[in-house]
Amino acid sequence: MTPIISVFAASPDRGRGLARDMAVRWALAEVGQGHELRPLSFAELKTVEHKARQPFGQIPTFEADGLTLFESGAIVLHIAENHSSLLPADPAARARAIAWMFAAVSTIEPVIVEREVAVLLEGDKPWTAERLPMLEARLRQRLDDLAAWLEGKDWLEGDFSAGDIMMVCVLRRPAAALLTGDYPALAAYVARAEARPAFQTAFAEQKARSDAAHG
């Protein structure tokens, strides 16, 4: 069965590849797996029908062969576990590649999102000016550590893996992208990933749909 992916009917990022379905589209392109899309409006995301697929009314979801999954990391891991090209065959290397998937969403992304929330949703609050230096310092510490790990490496663990898909998608978020220029190893890492044909395919697909939706 061809997988069906739930996505925004009109993504708020306007085709910049920042919505969470990007990691799923990219993983599918890497393994050469075709897919269908279920575009949903914001109202449709909150329907009983969609919440049966995704309890929190978000995107993406993945449906194939009687299985319905939510959470982009879980979907990418499922794709990787069913195709040999996104996880190493060696058990120890495989476990480490999966660990980097968790690091992306549990260690790196939270400090990025906290910084974005402070600016976008709390920018007019009296405490924001005092909090921003602390939030940026926390983010920079994570980026310092990640850059140190990547120094002299093309990818996080040997060959390109699902761990790199998740990490690069996190690093492309605006709060991180604004700082990666200060970290040559991270900037080069993201650029290598974005140059991959599968990334280009996935990015072009979502941008074309976004351009059509926004007119």
Side-chain angles (χ1 to χ4, degrees):
M1 174 183 173
T2 301
I4 301 172
I5 312 300
S6 293
V7 300
F8 288 125
S11 179
D13 77 344
R14 291 183 172 265
R16 291 187 294 162
L18 302 177
R20 293 184 185 275
D21 59 280
M22 181 63 191
V24 176
R25 294 177 191 246
W26 183 5
L28 289 170
E30 288 282 354
V31 302
Q33 172 65 63
H35 60 279
E36 299 176 6
L37 299 178
R38 178 184 286 109
L40 297 173
S41 68
F42 286 103
E44 289 170 327
L45 289 175
K46 305 306 178 183
T47 62
V48 171
E49 179 184 4
H50 183 63
K51 283 196 167 186
R53 293 186 290 263
Q54 216 292 0
F56 306 104
Q58 300 172 319
I59 60 99
T61 63
F62 172 98
E63 297 164 75
D65 300 320
L67 172 68
T68 300
L69 280 178
F70 61 99
E71 290 295 331
S72 57
I75 297 169
V76 170
L77 179 57
H78 175 73
I79 294 166
E81 287 182 328
N82 285 277
H83 296 84
S84 60
S85 58
L86 286 181
L87 286 175
D90 175 73
R94 187 183 188 92
R96 287 187 62 82
I98 293 171
W100 280 110
M101 297 182 69
F102 281 85
V105 298
S106 298
T107 300
I108 304 296
E109 187 173 42
V111 292
I112 295 172
V113 171
E114 191 174 16
R115 174 69 168 75
E116 291 174 348
V117 167
V119 173
L120 297 175
L121 301 182
E122 300 175 351
D124 60 343
K125 303 301 182 184
W127 61 79
T128 300
E130 294 183 7
R131 290 187 68 228
L132 281 176
M134 176 196 70
L135 296 177
E136 181 163 328
R138 290 177 60 195
L139 173 53
R140 284 188 177 276
Q141 181 60 64
R142 297 299 192 202
L143 296 181
D144 286 343
D145 292 339
L146 183 60
W149 178 265
L150 278 165
E151 194 65 44
K153 300 183 180 75
D154 284 344
W155 308 112
L156 292 167
E157 290 287 338
D159 294 334
F160 179 86
S161 76
D164 295 295
I165 290 178
M166 296 306 298
M167 187 64 76
V168 170
C169 284
V170 165
L171 292 176
R172 294 185 73 251
R173 292 188 66 102
L178 286 172
L179 299 179
T180 52
D182 296 340
Y183 300 89
L186 295 185
Y189 172 61
V190 172
R192 275 193 298 276
E194 290 178 336
R196 292 179 69 84
F199 178 92
Q200 294 290 324
T201 296
F203 185 90
E205 178 193 74
Q206 61 83 35
K207 188 174 189 309
R209 175 167 289 275
S210 178
D211 289 348
H214 289 286

